[in-house]
Amino acid sequence: MIIAIDGPAGTGKSTVASIIADKLNITFLNSGGFYRTLTLAILENNIDYSDEAATIDFCKKQKIEYTKESHFILNGKDVTEHLHDDCVTANASQVSAIVEIRHLVNDLMREITKSLSIVCEGRDMTTVVFPMAEYKFYLDATAAVRAKRRFDQGVSDMTLEEIQAAIEKRDEMDKNKKEGSLKIASDALYIDTSNLTIDNVCEIIIKQIS
């Protein structure tokens, strides 16, 4: 079984997907984490991702493992705690916009799902990666609400205004990617989370699946 969740940054996708996975005793697959892991590797090795050919060649040589605990292992090192550093967040969308890198990540995720029931979340899970998923959801919220949520997490050194500006910039990039752009699948259930708690959203999804 594949449960796919899409939506822009800050809508609670990762938290909701993780809770749903726990409730259903299946695996939570964090798609964004794969791109963030590659972005971290690119930054740490001073790779200029504007040179797509060199970036693709570099990414093909990286070994990424994903654990049942939703941890990312990059070349033998657990890098999970660094995936939401500001520098990674500021560059992940540009890296994920490289079409060949999307193909690499999509193939890796599809391979993982061959033997597992999963809940996955991202930008194009319902439209590109798993278009035949049994259940599809699109989570949304205003940019102001999403910025406040990230600010309250205390994981960024940016001001609330800077976070909102970054979110709006990322939304624009995600919606205009050459491949894997952010869009609502015609058969996905749309959920505006602006005035909902995480528990509210999980209840809606579980009700649809049950």
Side-chain angles (χ1 to χ4, degrees):
M1 176 174 68
I2 297 176
I3 302 168
I5 304 173
D6 281 334
T11 53
K13 298 188 306 297
S14 294
T15 302
V16 167
S18 180
I19 292 172
I20 296 298
D22 283 342
K23 287 181 178 293
L24 299 179
N25 194 30
I26 59 179
T27 300
F28 165 46
L29 188 66
N30 182 346
S31 68
F34 288 92
Y35 295 109
R36 286 176 177 269
T37 298
L38 287 174
T39 300
L40 180 64
I42 287 167
L43 295 175
E44 288 184 338
N45 288 273
N46 297 312
I47 303 297
D48 179 6
Y49 56 72
S50 65
D51 183 343
E52 292 194 6
T55 301
I56 292 166
D57 182 63
F58 172 78
C59 288
K60 286 180 177 179
K61 297 175 181 176
Q62 306 311 300
K63 181 180 180 182
I64 299 177
E65 299 171 87
Y66 189 73
T67 73
K68 290 183 178 180
E69 295 76 26
S70 301
H71 281 220
F72 287 88
I73 312 300
L74 173 64
N75 301 320
K77 179 183 178 182
D78 190 334
V79 297
T80 309
E81 66 178 17
H82 296 295
L83 298 187
H84 286 277
D85 290 353
D86 285 339
C87 61
V88 176
T89 297
N91 291 279
S93 188
Q94 293 93 315
V95 172
S96 68
I98 300 173
V99 172
E100 188 61 32
I101 289 180
R102 298 197 71 82
H103 292 171
L104 287 174
V105 171
N106 290 349
D107 288 344
L108 180 55
M109 289 191 293
R110 290 176 183 132
E111 186 64 30
I112 290 172
T113 62
K114 285 182 178 179
S115 59
L116 294 171
S117 288
I118 65 157
V119 180
C120 58
E121 57 80 24
R123 301 294 188 278
D124 61 350
M125 295 297 100
T126 64
T127 56
V128 176
V129 186
F130 300 113
M132 301 306 291
E134 288 89 336
Y135 301 98
K136 300 181 182 181
F137 302 92
Y138 186 98
L139 306 189
D140 205 357
T142 65
V145 167
R146 291 184 279 136
K148 183 64 165 55
R149 288 172 179 170
R150 179 162 177 77
F151 181 77
D152 289 344
Q153 288 175 348
V155 297
S156 175
D157 293 327
M158 294 190 292
T159 65
L160 177 60
E161 291 74 18
E162 289 171 336
I163 293 174
Q164 181 168 338
I167 282 177
E168 291 172 343
K169 180 179 179 180
R170 182 172 179 180
D171 285 350
E172 189 66 21
M173 288 189 293
D174 285 344
K175 291 176 181 177
N176 290 285
K177 287 176 179 174
K178 290 184 290 184
E179 186 170 321
S181 59
L182 177 63
K183 61 181 67 174
I184 306 173
S186 60
D187 54 348
L189 177 65
Y190 177 91
I191 305 173
D192 187 336
T193 72
S194 298
N195 298 308
L196 298 176
T197 66
I198 291 295
D199 286 343
N200 291 153
V201 178
C202 289
E203 287 173 7
I204 292 171
I205 292 176
I206 289 294
K207 185 176 180 180
Q208 289 292 316
I209 296 171
S210 299

